[in-house]
Amino acid sequence: MGIATIVLGYLEVLIWPLLILFALVYFKSTIVSLLEKLAEINIGGEKGFALKLKAARKIADEQNATEVEDPVVPDESNIILSLPDEAFLYLSSLAKKPVKSTYFPASGEELRSLHALSDYGVMKQRSMSEFQLTEIGKTLVSSLEKL
């Protein structure tokens, strides 16, 4: 009788973790799709995080296609995901316009976005109100043009 109670005690302790593990494995695809829907943030009529994620995936896919040997996530896609939302939206608006060699902010909000982009290495500040795209910035803008 002692062994039976020990086994029953183990079953009582392990039944809930095993049930939860089974449910997670069984409903994995449903849980993943729900989490992706939760991660979408509505910014200015566009789903900001989903748009960032799409841009980061596109950049990662483009660079992994050229470097098949070492499939790592490139720095540019990490930069896209870490950019503040306003800076990312400003960068994606730049991608819809013809690329210029120098950018001058027209408003305080635009200046803040350009400063944020320069903090992440996407832009280089040449003077108080003169910004220029870096090589990483040019790569990001060209990738965002294709979205």
Side-chain angles (χ1 to χ4, degrees):
M1 195 70 167
I3 294 176
T5 55
I6 292 173
V7 170
L8 185 60
Y10 280 124
L11 284 176
E12 286 177 355
V13 170
L14 292 176
I15 192 72
W16 286 109
L18 289 175
L19 185 62
I20 291 171
L21 182 66
F22 171 76
L24 287 175
V25 170
Y26 189 76
F27 296 109
K28 179 184 177 185
S29 62
T30 306
I31 293 170
V32 166
S33 70
L34 286 174
L35 289 176
E36 285 176 351
K37 288 178 184 177
L38 282 176
E40 295 176 353
I41 301 170
N42 193 5
I43 298 175
E46 294 187 34
K47 295 177 178 169
F49 186 74
L51 189 60
K52 279 185 186 180
L53 198 55
K54 185 178 177 183
R57 282 184 185 152
K58 182 157 186 74
I59 292 168
D61 290 343
E62 285 176 0
Q63 290 198 351
N64 283 340
T66 58
E67 303 169 3
V68 179
E69 298 169 3
D70 189 20
V72 295
V73 178
D75 293 336
E76 288 87 356
S77 59
N78 291 334
I79 290 172
I80 284 281
L81 292 174
S82 63
L83 280 176
D85 292 334
E86 294 93 20
F88 174 74
L89 290 175
Y90 180 74
L91 186 65
S92 58
S93 73
L94 289 181
K96 296 174 185 171
K97 301 174 187 174
V99 178
K100 297 188 243 177
S101 61
T102 306
Y103 293 90
F104 299 98
S107 66
E109 184 178 323
E110 194 171 345
L111 180 64
R112 283 189 294 280
S113 296
L114 286 169
H115 275 294
L117 289 172
S118 67
D119 290 343
Y120 285 90
V122 177
M123 290 278 199
K124 180 173 61 172
Q125 188 172 6
R126 299 187 59 142
S127 69
M128 286 297 284
S129 62
E130 184 179 354
F131 293 85
Q132 186 176 19
L133 281 171
T134 62
E135 289 302 316
I136 291 173
K138 290 176 185 174
T139 304
L140 294 178
V141 168
S142 69
S143 297
L144 288 172
E145 283 176 349
K146 299 171 188 171
L147 288 180

